[in-house]
Amino acid sequence: MYDENEQVNNIQQAARTCSRTAAEIYRLARKLYDYEKLKEKEALQRAMQEIINPDKDFIFTGQATDLCYFQHSNVMPIDFIENIEDEKLRSAVKEQFNIAARREHIVIDTDKRMIAVTNKGRNYISSSSFNKQAIENLQYMKFTSDQCFVLNGTQEDLKIFDAKPEFNISEICNKGSPELGNKVMTGLNRLNSDGLISISAEGTASITEKGSKILNELLSKNIGRAVTKSAASLGAAGACIIIVKKAADLGKNLFSQQSK
């Protein structure tokens, strides 16, 4: 389908996309660093989010169908893969992306820290068989990875108590910057000092009656329960999270539903 010249152009075009996107990200990060006085890493992360605007609900599966990410975006920062906490999943994703690169479906630019889809790759991920398999892999992954709640250091963090009645501070997993971790802890201490939550000497946090009233108001505004994500999703990568349901429990629920 592709002659040699088309293959070369295909790869070069994707490589240019990597370079152009990386330049835009670093340009914005520099502005955020200079004018908003953000830390360098924090400025880079924010610039990456604004330029690329990734789907936070995207879930890595470690299968070839992870290329479906490129159905809605031309590029993926390598950091999205590097930030996958589960080592086995991270290795599987890397392996599948390396295979995709050898097949010229994507270009991995380690200097620019970017991955871009090629035209050949777009044709591959647009097939009905690919999309059917992607859906199946995603559904399986939803029941084999932990569910988490993302903390952001604001009053919205009260919603964790809609998914988990109490938690220990030691359960917080910071996969982002130290600044993000400090922001979350400062936010929790503020909730504690405002009487919305109670943190015991052992570090166990629970919601108070006053906090429950605020929580109900927050939930009614958003019309629904607290939103949890797969720990394998982009929304969990580079974030402060708390696991609210283990994969083993999700699997039990799935099997019990199937047996009915």
Side-chain angles (χ1 to χ4, degrees):
M1 180 179 291
Y2 292 89
D3 61 28
E4 187 174 347
N5 288 333
E6 286 177 319
Q7 289 176 341
V8 171
N9 290 335
N10 190 31
I11 293 173
Q12 288 179 341
Q13 183 179 11
R16 285 193 294 270
T17 299
C18 284
S19 297
R20 184 170 59 252
T21 305
E24 291 176 359
I25 288 172
Y26 283 111
R27 198 156 42 236
L28 177 57
R30 175 51 60 181
K31 287 182 179 179
L32 294 170
Y33 178 79
D34 290 339
Y35 297 110
E36 297 193 21
K37 308 304 180 185
L38 297 180
K39 299 286 187 179
E40 190 171 342
K41 185 175 181 180
E42 187 179 357
L44 188 59
Q45 289 178 337
R46 183 167 149 189
M48 198 178 292
Q49 295 296 322
E50 290 191 20
I51 296 295
I52 297 174
N53 191 25
D55 175 9
K56 294 292 188 68
D57 292 325
F58 179 81
I59 297 174
F60 288 106
T61 66
Q63 304 295 324
T65 52
D66 282 345
L67 292 183
C68 66
Y69 169 91
F70 296 105
Q71 291 175 339
H72 304 289
S73 181
N74 291 323
V75 294
M76 175 191 289
I78 290 177
D79 287 352
F80 284 179
I81 297 175
E82 297 291 353
N83 285 335
I84 298 173
E85 185 180 17
D86 186 276
E87 185 177 349
K88 289 184 178 179
L89 177 59
R90 184 170 64 249
S91 296
V93 173
K94 285 182 177 180
E95 181 181 356
Q96 290 299 331
F97 272 59
N98 285 330
I99 292 172
R102 290 196 293 271
R103 292 175 176 171
E104 299 177 354
H105 291 156
I106 58 174
V107 167
I108 303 175
D109 189 331
T110 53
D111 291 330
K112 304 299 182 184
R113 303 287 297 168
M114 289 286 162
I115 304 168
V117 66
T118 63
N119 288 333
K120 184 177 180 181
R122 285 203 176 283
N123 289 336
Y124 171 67
I125 64 179
S126 65
S127 70
S128 57
S129 58
F130 175 91
N131 283 287
K132 181 176 181 294
Q133 189 61 54
I135 293 172
E136 291 178 0
N137 290 344
L138 176 61
Q139 292 302 317
Y140 176 78
M141 194 64 184
K142 284 183 176 179
F143 288 101
T144 54
S145 63
D146 297 336
Q147 285 289 308
C148 68
F149 179 86
V150 177
L151 299 165
N152 57 33
T154 69
Q155 197 176 75
E156 291 281 320
D157 287 346
L158 283 174
K159 292 179 182 177
I160 177 64
F161 296 103
D162 183 53
K164 193 178 178 77
E166 63 178 25
F167 65 91
N168 194 280
I169 298 298
S170 62
E171 295 178 54
I172 299 174
C173 175
N174 182 17
K175 301 198 287 183
S177 64
E179 291 77 19
L180 177 61
N182 290 335
K183 179 184 177 184
V184 166
M185 287 309 303
T186 298
L188 289 175
N189 287 330
R190 187 181 302 113
L191 293 176
N192 184 43
S193 61
D194 289 345
L196 303 183
I197 66 173
S198 174
I199 302 178
S200 70
E202 293 76 26
T204 299
S206 57
I207 195 165
T208 65
E209 184 177 349
K210 181 179 178 181
S212 294
K213 292 179 181 178
I214 302 295
L215 172 61
N216 289 333
E217 290 176 8
L218 291 172
L219 294 176
S220 63
K221 287 179 183 178
N222 293 339
I223 314 176
R225 306 291 300 277
V227 176
T228 60
K229 296 179 177 293
S230 166
S233 71
L234 283 179
C240 270
I241 66 171
I242 295 181
I243 301 299
V244 296
K245 188 166 290 187
K246 300 295 290 183
D249 297 327
L250 292 168
K252 288 177 183 176
N253 291 339
L254 173 63
F255 294 134
S256 63
Q257 290 172 9
Q258 290 178 336
S259 61
K260 290 180 180 179

